[in-house]
Amino acid sequence: MFSRAAQCKLYRFRGNRKLQFVTGPVVRCGVLLVASMPTGFVYSAAHAQQTNPAAPVVVQPGAPGKPSKTLPPSTRGALPPRSQADVEFMQGMIVHHSQAVDMTALIPSHTDNKELLSLGARISSSQSDEIKFMQRWLAARGESVSMTTPMSGPQMSGPQMSGTGMAHQGMALMPGMLTPEQMDALRKAKGAEFDRLFLTGMIQHHHGALTMVKDLFDTAGAGQDAELFDFATDADNSQRAEIRIMQTMLEEKPSEGKS
């Protein structure tokens, strides 16, 4: 039988590592703990670290008062549960955002208002990026990016929306969306009249998006997905801020020296 000191020395060399001899009660306690472990356990742990040092460690936190669990490295995360209201919200918001992008595309050819040009560029960029996010979110869950069931509300009979290359003819308008007549009037307007119609129309449009977010969170079981919750919350905050900006622009009368 080896003495305790000899056992410590044996384990040091069996791991093919050189350990410094550091004095102190903590280190001595740690050495004694290693020396008391079974030889095979120490060797297999060291061997696993040497052969696959990058092997992931997957830990599942336990419930309050319960221990955590170490899961196999092959464990894969599962997407959180979703409700049908989540899917319809994302599909509907793609349609909604697409009209906003179409509206902003008219700005460069219909007005010289630099403030409106800047605002339109921001809205177009942010909502185009959000459309891509919503399409990825739906595709990752095996859902169609297009609405398959008409929703309640006035029916569209006007132009297609080019923002995502999808035709929405015959599909219901989402809350706040401009009617075909409003879109026609916007296309025909120029200068200060265009500025006024765009701002009033986009304020209406943004209020509709706020209604869609509220309806989502008012639906039992909806909005629990973390990605969707963050997106809807951010959309609510950003569109409220843009509404305030557009209301200020209207109050400043863009026709006075800004077009």
Side-chain angles (χ1 to χ4, degrees):
M1 179 67 65
F2 291 107
S3 67
R4 180 163 293 174
Q7 288 177 344
C8 293
K9 182 176 181 181
L10 175 64
Y11 284 120
R12 288 190 194 97
F13 285 99
R14 184 166 284 168
N16 293 326
R17 295 173 180 266
K18 293 183 179 180
L19 299 181
Q20 295 180 350
F21 289 90
V22 182
T23 60
V26 175
V27 174
R28 285 198 297 271
C29 180
V31 172
L32 290 176
L33 177 62
V34 172
S36 64
M37 290 182 180
T39 304
F41 179 84
V42 176
Y43 175 76
S44 61
H47 180 72
Q49 289 181 346
Q50 291 174 4
T51 57
N52 190 11
V57 177
V58 182
V59 178
Q60 180 184 37
K66 301 293 183 179
S68 299
K69 295 180 181 179
T70 301
L71 304 178
S74 59
T75 302
R76 295 291 181 269
L79 291 171
R82 64 188 180 282
S83 72
Q84 185 60 28
D86 294 342
V87 175
E88 292 178 355
F89 170 80
M90 293 298 229
Q91 291 171 338
M93 195 62 83
I94 288 174
V95 177
H96 201 270
H97 275 30
S98 296
Q99 188 182 65
V101 173
D102 285 347
M103 292 171 66
T104 60
L106 297 173
I107 295 177
S109 59
H110 286 66
T111 182
D112 295 326
N113 187 332
K114 293 182 180 179
E115 191 174 1
L116 192 62
L117 284 165
S118 177
L119 173 67
R122 292 200 303 271
I123 292 175
S124 178
S125 177
S126 64
Q127 299 214 9
S128 294
D129 287 344
E130 289 173 357
I131 287 173
K132 294 175 184 177
F133 163 76
M134 291 185 283
Q135 290 172 333
R136 289 194 300 269
W137 188 94
L138 288 164
R141 290 155 179 79
E143 300 287 350
S144 171
V145 299
S146 302
M147 295 181 64
T148 56
T149 303
M151 300 181 69
S152 60
Q155 296 297 311
M156 292 185 64
S157 59
Q160 297 177 352
M161 296 184 187
S162 60
T164 57
M166 295 184 294
H168 302 295
Q169 189 170 3
M171 185 64 69
L173 291 173
M174 301 298 105
M177 287 181 65
L178 274 62
T179 64
E181 293 74 21
Q182 286 178 299
M183 286 295 294
D184 286 342
L186 187 64
R187 290 188 186 92
K188 293 174 182 177
K190 293 286 186 178
E193 179 63 10
F194 174 85
D195 297 353
R196 183 185 67 82
L197 289 178
F198 179 90
L199 290 170
T200 55
M202 192 61 81
I203 289 173
Q204 168 191 317
H205 202 273
H206 276 27
H207 276 300
L210 300 183
T211 298
M212 293 174 69
V213 172
K214 182 180 184 301
D215 289 346
L216 173 72
F217 289 139
D218 285 347
T219 302
Q224 302 302 307
D225 178 280
E227 285 186 308
L228 183 144
F229 178 86
D230 289 344
F231 164 73
T233 302
D234 289 345
D236 185 276
N237 292 336
S238 62
Q239 300 214 10
R240 287 182 189 277
E242 288 172 357
I243 287 172
R244 290 192 293 269
I245 292 171
M246 290 186 288
Q247 288 172 335
T248 300
M249 291 173 68
L250 275 175
E251 292 169 0
E252 292 175 349
K253 298 181 180 179
S255 60
E256 297 179 0
K258 289 195 175 184
S259 312

